[in-house]
Amino acid sequence: ILRCLVGSEMCIRDRHYRKEVTMSVTIKDIAKKAGVSHITVSRALNSSGYVKAEKKEEIMKLAKEMGYTPSRLALNFKSSRSYTIGLYFSTVSEMTSPFILYEIVSTLYKYIDSKYFIVVKGIDTHKPGTLSSTQFDGLLVLSQTEKDDFFLEEVMQKNIPVVVIAREVEFPITNVLVDEKDAICKAMKYLLENGHRKIGVLEGDPSFASNKNRHEGWIKAAKAFGVDTASIPYEYGYYSYNQSMEAVKKLLNYDLSAILCFNDEMAFGAEQIITSRGLRIPDDISLIGFDNWDISMYAKIQLTTIERDMGKLAKVGLELLMDQVERKTRGEKIVPVVRKLDTCLVVRESVKSIL
């Protein structure tokens, strides 16, 4: 899946929009149907050169009926736009979950105007100084770490419309994200409300701002219930399935009744270790995650989790980005905004009440 996603946008387009690609209509197709030359069709569609009014009307009607869409190259000749939107993300190998990236790319292709192309690239592959406003009409950036700031600074210098999703940044850039502190606070409160006090926490990457926010979230909930936070062990699973398994082994050295995981990927890694030791979820250990992956409801365990709708983050981010693109085209000022979307607790079967 990743090779398909990251390799090239045409690969994605072919896979999910096969019908669109194989049935694209050309000027020559319209010309053949109308019984005129392709030059006449071009003149009619572009309002350049003389074409009889009735014939132009016929050609325009045929173009609409046949689903004709001007090529990106033709559009570029008519305007200063590239009709290309870039999706840049923190490197997959260390930070961005491939499942989250897939959900975002799928959402963009679902909602973006058909005349646009999407280029998907890792920020770690970017060579400083190579960005150009002629390459992209706008950029959507899935950022997980402050290491991406060098890229965002270049984007601002080149005056390219940009929206950052998933991470709050200090630059004057439009942001779309969730309140991660509040979200993890909900998860910890749910465990505490169900009587759990012997709780372990499987955190992500300590270098991420998101990890800091989530850490503060469970601390806040514990204090609200009068629980000594020093009594709650936590380990770093670096948001990774494999690394989470090693971290869970350490947590299981404690007498725990529940584990709070900073994402679903680590929760499924925790599941593997817990069940391999003959323990049952939730009878022996309760488990709660964060993200609500599509597979959360189909896995071996029915995972209770916090829903962070990445598809919705991408959709709202795209809407705000396209508004910026239009404003820039009209010469209007772009005012950055911050949108925080709601999260919700999705209760399934992985948390047991021990009241």
Side-chain angles (χ1 to χ4, degrees), residues 88-99:
Y88 276 79
F89 58 91
S90 303
T91 174
V92 169
S93 62
E94 298 178 12
M95 299 165 191
T96 301
S97 163
F99 297 96

Side-chain angles (χ1 to χ4, degrees), residues 102-344:
Y102 176 78
E103 186 173 358
I104 289 174
V105 173
S106 298
T107 299
L108 295 185
Y109 270 101
K110 181 178 180 181
Y111 291 106
I112 200 164
D113 191 297
S114 61
K115 65 175 173 283
Y116 279 92
F117 280 69
I118 299 173
V119 173
V120 184
K121 300 187 73 173
I123 293 175
D124 58 312
T125 67
H126 174 68
K127 295 181 179 180
T130 60
L131 268 183
S132 168
S133 58
T134 60
Q135 289 177 285
F136 301 104
D137 287 343
L139 296 174
L140 194 67
V141 181
L142 171 59
S143 179
Q144 307 284 349
T145 171
E146 293 177 358
K147 294 178 182 178
D148 299 337
D149 287 354
F150 81 95
F151 178 75
L152 298 176
E153 289 175 352
E154 184 175 342
V155 173
M156 290 190 297
Q157 290 171 1
K158 299 297 175 64
N159 194 32
I160 302 173
V162 60
V163 173
V164 176
I165 62 175
R167 178 174 77 93
E168 189 166 11
V169 296
E170 296 182 359
F171 300 110
I173 289 176
T174 292
N175 255 186
V176 184
L177 66 161
V178 301
D179 188 334
E180 294 175 303
K181 181 177 179 179
D182 176 71
I184 287 294
C185 187
K186 290 177 187 175
M188 179 60 95
K189 280 184 177 179
Y190 184 71
L191 292 177
L192 294 165
E193 288 167 352
N194 278 278
H196 294 280
R197 294 298 183 271
K198 297 178 180 179
I199 303 170
V201 181
L202 188 53
E203 298 200 351
D205 187 325
S207 69
F208 285 15
S210 64
N211 195 87
K212 179 184 177 183
N213 293 332
R214 297 179 199 189
H215 178 86
E216 291 175 355
W218 72 256
I219 292 287
K220 178 182 177 181
K223 287 181 176 179
F225 277 74
V227 176
D228 180 8
T229 57
S231 70
I232 300 177
Y234 61 93
E235 295 288 343
Y236 299 113
Y238 294 88
Y239 297 112
S240 160
Y241 179 87
N242 291 326
Q243 293 187 72
S244 69
M245 290 193 283
E246 293 303 314
V248 169
K249 290 176 183 177
K250 296 177 183 178
L251 286 178
L252 291 179
N253 290 325
Y254 298 88
D255 179 23
L256 302 178
S257 66
I259 297 178
L260 166 63
C261 304
F262 275 17
N263 72 357
D264 289 351
E265 183 172 347
M266 293 193 298
F268 291 123
E271 175 206 4
Q272 289 297 314
I273 299 302
I274 291 169
T275 56
S276 72
R277 296 194 176 187
L279 300 173
R280 298 165 299 168
I281 300 171
D283 293 338
D284 298 313
I285 295 185
S286 291
L287 200 61
I288 191 167
F290 181 97
D291 276 331
N292 194 29
W293 281 2
D294 286 343
I295 62 172
S296 295
M297 65 178 70
Y298 303 115
K300 293 178 183 178
I301 56 168
Q302 294 288 300
L303 184 65
T304 293
T305 186
I306 295 293
E307 180 174 64
R308 176 179 63 164
D309 191 336
M310 294 304 296
K312 188 173 181 180
L313 282 173
K315 182 175 183 292
V316 173
L318 178 62
E319 290 170 352
L320 292 171
L321 180 61
M322 298 315 299
D323 178 68
Q324 288 186 24
V325 170
E326 294 301 325
R327 287 178 182 275
K328 182 180 179 183
T329 301
R330 296 192 298 265
E332 297 176 6
K333 183 179 180 180
I334 296 174
V335 180
V337 298
V338 176
R339 292 278 181 88
K340 288 192 175 183
L341 306 186
D342 293 333
T343 59
C344 67

